């Protein structure tokens, strides 16, 4: 079965860089999506990582089953919940439980 | 029993037909969403509702309408279906009380428009 693990909460100061991890188990190579949910807003797609474009994302590689998202020089407005989602073809969706990122001014 | 159910699970229809997809939830959540998924793409939000009297358009609402009949029910309608609406449709719910506001998805409805 497929599963996704994300760090629950991260708090950093404004201007810092932050890495949010997404590690997963799967029986194949999925497409990986990152979504962000700002307060009182529904999900927004941030990025999509596949085997073809995996090397373009900072430190991420689908073969390693560890595809983090990195944000540099964060601002208070980056405070949100970030979800990692695995997708196999058009059938299976596996969501992580989300990382709540809090930026302190 | 599943917490979020969708009916029908599969539907084939013809261009121009009106079709309704139903979503019901027993989780007691106040927020409900409709998404569609297409091959190679992520979820795209069609409509969302944060309360029975609150309906909001998502990023691809054209050609769709919704009805929040009760807290537990959120229906998606295609007034005149067209082939590019062939997709996998997901309903989701969330509880504003949860820290991470995790969304819980239904099993999906596969719609084919001929």
């Amino acid at each position: 079965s497929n599963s996704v693990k994300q760090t629950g909460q991260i708090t950093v100061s404004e201007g810092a860089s932050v890495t949010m991890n997404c590690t997963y188990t799967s029986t194949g190579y999925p497409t990986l999506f990152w979504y962000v949910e700002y307060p009182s807003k529904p999900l927004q797609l941030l990025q999509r990582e596949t085997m073809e474009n995996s090397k373009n994302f900072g430190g991420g590689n689908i073969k390693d089953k560890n595809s983090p998202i990195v944000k540099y020089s964060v601002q208070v407005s980056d405070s949100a919940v970030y979800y990692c989602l695995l997708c196999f073809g058009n059938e299976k969706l596996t969501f992580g439980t989300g990382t709540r990122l809090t930026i302190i001014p | 029993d599943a917490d979020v159910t969708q009916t029908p699970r599969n539907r084939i229809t013809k261009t121009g037909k009106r079709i309704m997809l139903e979503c019901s939830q027993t989780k007691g959540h106040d927020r409900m969403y409709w998404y569609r998924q297409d091959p190679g793409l992520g979820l795209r939000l069609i409509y969302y509702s944060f309360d029975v009297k609150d309906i909001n358009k998502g990023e691809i609402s054209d050609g769709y309408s919704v009805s929040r009949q009760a807290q537990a029910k959120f229906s998606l309608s295609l007034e005149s279906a067209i082939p590019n609406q062939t997709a996998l449709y997901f309903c989701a719910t969330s509880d504003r009380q949860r820290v991470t506001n995790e969304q819980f998805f239904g099993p999906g409805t596969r719609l084919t428009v001929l």
Side-chain angles (χ1 to χ4, degrees):
Chain A
S1 62
N2 306 316
S3 65
V4 181
K5 290 186 178 181
Q6 295 184 247
T7 303
Q9 299 193 55
I10 297 176
T11 300
V12 297
S13 297
E14 204 166 26
S17 295
V18 62
T19 298
M20 289 175 279
N21 289 308
C22 175
T23 59
Y24 48 87
T25 60
S26 66
T27 55
Y29 295 129
T31 298
L32 186 79
F33 299 92
W34 277 98
Y35 287 84
V36 61
E37 186 167 15
Y38 295 103
S40 299
K41 297 291 183 183
L43 293 171
Q44 299 175 26
L45 180 64
L46 274 180
Q47 68 184 42
R48 177 171 58 243
E49 184 175 352
T50 65
M51 280 292 287
E52 288 73 28
N53 70 7
S54 183
K55 292 182 180 180
N56 295 331
F57 292 94
N61 189 308
I62 286 187
K63 281 188 175 180
D64 292 334
K65 299 186 187 297
N66 178 18
S67 299
I69 190 169
V70 182
K71 296 187 72 65
Y72 301 97
S73 189
V74 293
Q75 305 298 309
V76 172
S77 57
D78 291 319
S79 296
V81 180
Y82 293 80
Y83 292 98
C84 177
L85 165 68
L86 262 62
C87 181
F88 286 85
N90 205 22
E91 295 291 336
K92 301 177 184 178
L93 296 179
T94 304
F95 250 56
T97 52
T99 295
R100 178 172 290 280
L101 178 64
T102 302
I103 310 301
I104 300 171
Chain B
D1 289 342
D3 295 320
V4 183
T5 57
Q6 293 181 231
T7 56
R9 293 295 311 280
N10 288 281
R11 182 69 181 267
I12 300 174
T13 192
K14 294 182 179 180
T15 297
K17 293 292 187 180
R18 183 179 187 276
I19 186 167
M20 179 181 289
L21 309 183
E22 307 269 7
C23 177
S24 295
Q25 53 115 347
T26 59
K27 300 186 74 66
H29 290 172
D30 50 342
R31 299 178 173 186
M32 298 186 75
Y33 312 78
W34 274 106
Y35 297 87
R36 65 175 282 175
Q37 191 199 27
D38 300 274
L41 301 176
L43 294 169
R44 291 185 292 167
L45 183 64
I46 305 172
Y47 271 95
Y48 63 101
S49 170
F50 282 176
D51 193 78
V52 173
K53 296 181 181 180
D54 176 76
I55 302 290
N56 303 283
K57 292 183 177 181
E59 61 185 291
I60 53 165
S61 59
D62 288 348
Y64 300 94
S65 62
V66 291
S67 174
R68 187 83 183 266
Q69 303 96 320
Q71 188 189 38
K73 297 184 182 295
F74 194 36
S75 302
L76 176 72
S77 294
L78 287 69
E79 296 301 326
S80 180
I82 55 177
N84 74 1
Q85 291 178 312
T86 294
L88 188 58
Y89 289 84
F90 287 95
C91 173
T93 73
S94 69
D95 181 358
R96 64 182 175 177
Q97 303 294 335
R98 289 177 66 91
V99 173
T100 59
N101 206 19
E102 177 185 356
Q103 294 198 11
F104 296 83
F105 282 73
T109 294
R110 183 171 297 282
L111 177 65
T112 302
V113 183
L114 302 176

